[in-house]
């Protein structure tokens, strides 16, 4: 029985040493890989698509069929008033 136990332990140790403890790609460590020139580079997810969303109405711009946007509502007329604009 003792010989069987020793054989089982040595075979288990041989199999355990054959499987690497950490999956480190080419010696760079977990989460890294070798680049085209041999330097270690991080594993990154693929780049995400950039979505450009047009902004809302700009203040002080006349929009045909609506009027001037003052930040709150549209006005059909405006005039200069004390270093700014007065809408009516």
């Amino acid at each position: 029985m003792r010989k069987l136990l020793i054989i089982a332990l040595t075979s288990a140790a041989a199999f355990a040493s054959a499987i690497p403890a950490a999956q480190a790609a080419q010696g760079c460590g977990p989460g890294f890989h070798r680049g085209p020139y041999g330097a270690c580079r991080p594993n990154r997810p693929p780049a995400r698509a950039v979505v450009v969303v047009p902004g809302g109405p700009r203040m002080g711009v006349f929009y045909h069929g609506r009027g001037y946007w003052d930040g709150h509502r549209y006005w059909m007329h405006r005039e200069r008033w004390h270093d700014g604009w007065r809408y009516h």
Side-chain angles (χ1 to χ4, degrees), residues 12-58:
F15 283 119
S17 65
I19 300 171
Q23 295 293 330
Q26 303 154 348
C28 288
F32 291 88
H33 67 280
R34 292 273 178 197
Y37 299 107
C40 291
R41 303 178 74 180
N43 295 337
R44 290 190 218 151
R48 295 183 181 183
V50 176
V51 178
V52 178
V53 178
R58 294 182 312 181

Side-chain angles (χ1 to χ4, degrees), residues 53-61 63 66 69 71 74:
V53 178
R58 294 182 312 181
M59 290 179 49
V61 176
Y63 293 94
R66 294 189 176 207
W69 176 254
Y74 290 97

Side-chain angles (χ1 to χ4, degrees), residues 78-88:
R78 73 176 182 175
E79 62 184 18
R80 282 275 188 201
W81 183 263
H82 297 287
D83 299 328
W85 295 99
R86 181 169 78 172
Y87 297 92
H88 53 93

